[in-house]
Amino acid sequence: MTTARGAYRYYVLFMLIVVYTVNFIDRQIVGILAPAIKAELSLSDTQLGLLGGLAFAIFYTALGIPIARLADRHSRVWIMTISLFVWSLFTALGGATTSFVQLFLARVGVGVGEAGGVAPAYSLISDYFPRHERARALAVYSFGIPLGGTCGVLFGGLIASTLNWRAAFVIVGLAGVVLVPIFRLTLRDPERGRFDPPQASTDQPSLRTTLLFLAAKPSFWGLSMAAGSAAALSYGLAFWMPSFYLRSFHMTLMEVTLFYSALLLGGGCVGIWAGGWVTDKLVAKRPAAYALVPAAAFALSIPCYIGAVLAPSPTAVFLFSLLPQALGLLWLAPIISAIQHLVQANMRSTASAAFLFINNVIGLGVGTVFFGFISDALSSRYGDDSLRYAILSGLVFYVISAVILLFTARRLANDLTT
């Protein structure tokens, strides 16, 4: 069978991108719907932040590692199929909620489903693409983030403007359910570790063995903590920027929908692809590039975001935001690829889940709530502009990420396994 090198692997990658796009639509749609949800359910910014972050993160992070253990032992395609059905169903159920508690629980259900959606996909890609192509393949897969963010804003905003926020949840959720049988019937698991060195073990290690293996690699923890800190800002911005445009510039929901979706798509895809391309070119001679490339991107993003948040008009915000939108996602390919190379093939799903656990406990658990809490704290002084200053304060997360990555770069060459 030649599927690993033939056209089929590109079909697999395409389907994984589609599912990842649906993943992020369902994950991020709350951001564009937040103003309407806040008005109807009489919520505070802190409660909105909990819906956008903690509600999703609780079980997404808690279940990620045990589900990944199953993916390292059993069919990755089946696990992703079940996950897709569960998160899509709970997204649709969000449209039937009538209180903060009900919507919070629905978003918890989305997190339960999405816990099995990403780590198995990383493992599948690593078994369909050899090492010298993996960063680019993972970069292409990561297009699901800006595509999903864009579609979540675009479809959510258009449906909410035409119908209401409840219809937006139902329609995008049912679209994912329709995708379930197509995904299951057309994808198959490849041989594990097919592109790895022959001496690599194929026995399934225990969870304790895998975690001890990771514990002995300082670069794993550095990459994970840095990515988590960056994700706190990224998730916070993705959730709160639509509200920022509505409050500070008094734009309509339709204007924000078109404006922000163009920004996410234009900047995000360019940044992700650039990260994969640069990484594949540099790491063969300098493994530290896995950490140095994203560190440079975060450092360059900070002054751009300051200019964007303090800009006097939506047009100026767009122009200042385009570059950091790209730079802010440039880390995905190098860091995700590095995680795959820190462990053997039979540990990849579990290692990816451990990475995602750290990434999302910090990113999802802290990011949206941080901005909402700061905004509430500043609202009595700055009114509608409180979000502007909350976003500025969040730039400290990129500073933390860049510093951690600079220290991590020194250890990468010693810690890489494949």
Side-chain angles (χ1 to χ4, degrees), residues 319-337:
L319 294 175
F320 274 108
S321 297
L322 198 56
L323 179 60
Q325 181 66 37
L327 293 173
L329 292 176
L330 192 142
W331 69 267
L332 284 162
I335 291 183
I336 292 170
S337 181

Side-chain angles (χ1 to χ4, degrees), residues 233-234 237 241 260 263 298 300-311 320-329 391-392 395 398:
L233 179 58
S234 298
L237 289 175
M241 287 301 281
Y260 195 48
L263 179 62
F298 294 143
L300 290 172
S301 296
I302 293 170
C304 296
Y305 269 130
I306 292 174
V309 175
L310 296 178
F320 274 108
S321 297
L322 198 56
L323 179 60
Q325 181 66 37
L327 293 173
L329 292 176
I391 292 170
L392 281 175
L395 294 177
Y398 269 5

Side-chain angles (χ1 to χ4, degrees), residues 66-117:
I67 291 176
R69 293 290 297 163
L70 292 175
D72 274 335
R73 296 169 179 264
H74 303 289
S75 170
R76 291 165 284 190
V77 173
W78 257 117
I79 287 169
M80 291 187 67
T81 301
I82 296 169
S83 297
L84 171 62
F85 176 76
V86 171
W87 87 61
S88 298
L89 179 63
F90 274 99
T91 298
L93 289 175
T97 58
T98 58
S99 69
F100 169 74
V101 173
Q102 290 177 0
L103 186 53
F104 185 93
L105 292 175
R107 298 309 294 174
V108 167
V110 175
V112 169
E114 294 199 5

Side-chain angles (χ1 to χ4, degrees), residues 276-295:
W277 185 83
V278 170
T279 300
D280 275 341
K281 295 295 182 183
L282 295 180
V283 294
K285 293 183 178 180
R286 193 177 186 189
Y290 282 126
L292 294 177
V293 169

Side-chain angles (χ1 to χ4, degrees), residues 148-168:
T150 299
C151 292
V153 170
L154 190 60
F155 295 155
L158 291 175
I159 296 170
S161 296
T162 305
L163 299 172
N164 53 58
W165 64 268
R166 298 179 185 280

